[in-house]
Amino acid sequence: MEAYTGADVSEVSRSIGMDSRIGSKFLKASVGFGGSCFQKDILNLVYIASSLGLQEVADYWEQVILMNDYQKHRFARKIVKTLYNTVADKKIAFLGWAFKKDTNDTRESAAIYVAEKLLQEQANISIYDPKVKKEQIITDLENLGTLDPEAIHKRITVVSNPYEAMKEVHAVAILTEWDGFADYDWQKVYENMMKPAFVFDGRGILDLKNLTKIGFQLFSLGKSNTAVK
């Protein structure tokens, strides 16, 4: 027997619509959502639906979590595949570690899980985030319990200058949509990178036309006119 909550869908719709993030501000392609609340709230919804006998509803919302995890793994696999199916001992720069801009909150950040996959492939990662400290990044990775702590310390470098992070790297990955990333001197970045120079824009904030003109091999989530297929 199915159970019903007694909710008025018009009231639910009105409540959700009061959040200004819903709409164009929220519906953007990215490497995956993070933060302490969204995933927890969805999992609570899964539990409530299941406890009420609404298994199809529970399965539906659980797929949101599964697809979010898939997106992070897909992004990491794209990097590995594009770099000729191996990132072993190659250096990759991460721009951003926080789960969103203007915060130092790293809980469930997509960057953690992308880094996990690349470290498992023996990549070296250079990280720049304007607010997240090295100690937090190391803790985030160690807390996964899937990586050798010695390898984390060996293969992770955290720097305070974005240009230093991108110096002599094989690829750059945008993991947080920090203001200013798009305005870097990308010509300078290109000149100091290994060639071919790859950029993986996980937040869709870069000027594809300009960076491609400079010479980058560019992949941007949610965009059709990418240079890397």
Side-chain angles (χ1 to χ4, degrees):
M1 182 178 70
E2 292 187 352
Y4 296 88
T5 64
D8 185 329
V9 68
S10 62
E11 288 295 312
V12 174
S13 178
R14 183 178 67 84
S15 299
I16 294 175
M18 292 178 69
D19 189 333
S20 64
R21 296 171 299 176
I22 304 298
S24 61
K25 294 181 179 179
F26 189 76
L27 300 176
K28 293 184 177 180
S30 82
V31 69
F33 64 77
S36 62
C37 297
F38 198 27
Q39 178 165 302
K40 172 178 61 65
D41 291 343
I42 293 175
L43 289 173
N44 284 337
L45 182 58
V46 171
Y47 173 78
I48 292 171
S50 181
S51 66
L52 291 173
L54 304 173
Q55 194 55 49
E56 291 81 3
V57 176
D59 292 344
Y60 176 90
W61 287 108
E62 186 177 18
Q63 286 300 314
V64 174
I65 300 298
L66 295 177
M67 284 301 296
N68 191 53
D69 291 340
Y70 166 76
Q71 183 74 333
K72 301 167 190 175
H73 299 158
R74 172 176 174 261
F75 190 74
R77 288 198 302 268
K78 181 67 176 180
I79 295 174
V80 174
K81 182 179 179 180
T82 303
L83 269 63
Y84 311 107
N85 292 312
T86 179
V87 292
D89 292 322
K90 292 179 180 178
K91 188 177 179 182
I92 299 169
F94 274 28
L95 293 185
W97 190 265
F99 85 90
K100 68 176 182 179
K101 68 176 185 177
D102 300 327
T103 181
N104 63 355
D105 192 342
T106 66
R107 288 174 291 182
E108 294 300 321
S109 173
I112 300 171
Y113 300 97
V114 175
E116 176 190 25
K117 296 301 178 184
L118 295 181
L119 288 171
Q120 289 172 341
E121 296 285 341
Q122 308 301 310
N124 298 313
I125 304 176
S126 178
I127 302 166
Y128 168 75
D129 188 289
K131 286 193 175 182
V132 181
K133 304 299 183 183
K134 178 179 180 179
E135 293 76 16
Q136 183 60 54
I137 292 172
I138 298 299
T139 297
D140 289 336
L141 292 169
E142 290 181 338
N143 285 345
L144 291 172
T146 59
L147 299 167
D148 178 6
E150 184 176 341
I152 293 173
H153 287 270
K154 177 183 176 181
R155 295 189 176 276
I156 289 290
T157 303
V158 182
V159 298
S160 58
N161 183 292
Y163 292 101
E164 183 64 26
M166 294 183 281
K167 186 176 181 181
E168 298 181 350
V169 298
H170 294 82
V172 174
I174 310 290
L175 277 304
T176 310
E177 70 282 16
W178 281 101
D179 293 335
F181 282 180
D183 299 325
Y184 286 161
D185 184 344
W186 286 98
Q187 180 65 50
K188 176 181 177 181
V189 173
Y190 178 80
E191 292 170 356
N192 288 291
M193 282 181 63
M194 306 293 286
K195 306 298 187 298
F198 296 101
V199 174
F200 299 86
D201 185 1
R203 296 293 175 176
I205 62 174
L206 299 180
D207 184 335
L208 276 72
K209 184 176 180 180
N210 181 54
L211 266 68
T212 302
K213 184 178 180 180
I214 289 172
F216 286 102
Q217 299 292 306
L218 182 62
F219 170 75
S220 183
L221 281 174
K223 304 290 180 67
S224 62
N225 57 332
T226 54
V228 177
K229 300 298 184 183

